[in-house]
Amino acid sequence: ETMDLTASGAYDAAHQRMSMELDMGALFEDLAAGAGESVPAGLDEPMQMVVDGTAIYVRAPMFDLLGRAGWLSLTPEDLGTTADALGLGAGAYDPSSVLESLRGVSGEPTVVGTDVVRGVPTTHYAATVDLADALAQLPEDQRAMVEAQLGKLGDGAIPIDVWVDDDGLPRRLAMDMGQMLGSLGLGGDVSAVMTMEL
């Protein structure tokens, strides 16, 4: 089985706010087709999420089918826990924290070629990242926050591609997480690539 999940959004680091839309239409279409059914009305709409500090607001078409129409809100206090315990502390939704993994690149990156990413010329590099090395090279005051993010990716080496513009800014990052998922004993051949455009 193959599926694509596409998300887009914005992050405001200064105010700890984030908004995101996740398009799960392809997933629902695949599930429905496998069952010989059609997708219920509304499930082709994206799931929306807004975060303000540690308060999370979610609107998802699937909730409508369960009789919970509109926006739902949730806080760590609602669950009787803390923001840190849920991984919702400072920087939890900052997508740029994934870029810290580039500190763990081992050896010299290979130049793959050039590409245009969202209208910007870039150089495409390929490398391997050791997550333990990436965390070890971080300043101590940043380590806990980034470890909370990168810790979700597991241990070991991850093949990575990065597209960098003429100002040295990363415009696209693609991480091949198939080997990492395979090591979790999920069974069979597992492949997954996360691509992030900035």
Side-chain angles (χ1 to χ4, degrees):
E1 297 292 334
T2 301
M3 73 181 82
D4 291 322
L5 297 177
T6 303
S8 61
Y11 178 75
D12 179 350
H15 298 98
Q16 293 295 299
R17 294 177 180 154
M18 183 270 288
S19 65
M20 181 181 75
E21 283 196 358
L22 176 61
D23 183 354
M24 300 177 68
L27 171 62
F28 291 130
E29 286 177 12
D30 289 347
L31 291 173
E37 303 285 339
S38 58
V39 178
L43 286 189
D44 55 346
E45 296 176 20
M47 179 179 85
Q48 297 171 288
M49 180 187 301
V50 174
V51 177
D52 185 1
T54 59
I56 303 170
Y57 305 90
V58 181
R59 182 182 177 280
M62 66 190 85
F63 295 162
D64 294 350
L65 297 177
L66 301 173
R68 296 295 307 250
W71 288 88
L72 302 179
S73 66
L74 183 68
T75 66
E77 292 76 21
D78 293 336
L79 300 174
T81 186
T82 66
D84 288 338
L86 291 177
L88 300 177
Y93 298 100
D94 184 355
S96 67
S97 63
V98 176
L99 296 175
E100 295 294 349
S101 64
L102 296 175
R103 295 177 185 268
V105 169
S106 53
E108 283 294 314
T110 301
V111 176
V112 176
T114 58
D115 284 307
V116 175
V117 177
R118 293 188 177 193
V120 178
T122 64
T123 301
H124 176 184
Y125 297 93
T128 300
V129 167
D130 184 297
L131 294 180
D133 286 350
L135 289 170
Q137 293 182 46
L138 278 172
E140 191 170 335
D141 62 336
Q142 298 177 22
R143 198 166 297 150
M145 185 270 288
V146 175
E147 188 169 19
Q149 292 297 305
L150 297 184
K152 299 172 186 175
L153 302 178
D155 296 320
I158 296 178
I160 191 167
D161 288 75
V162 62
W163 288 255
V164 180
D165 68 16
D166 292 342
D167 293 324
L169 298 174
R171 294 289 181 154
R172 178 186 291 154
L173 183 80
M175 301 177 85
D176 182 346
M177 297 185 290
Q179 181 178 351
M180 178 204 71
L181 292 174
S183 69
L184 298 177
L186 299 177
D189 292 330
V190 179
S191 63
V193 176
M194 180 191 76
T195 302
M196 178 174 68
E197 291 188 351
L198 302 162

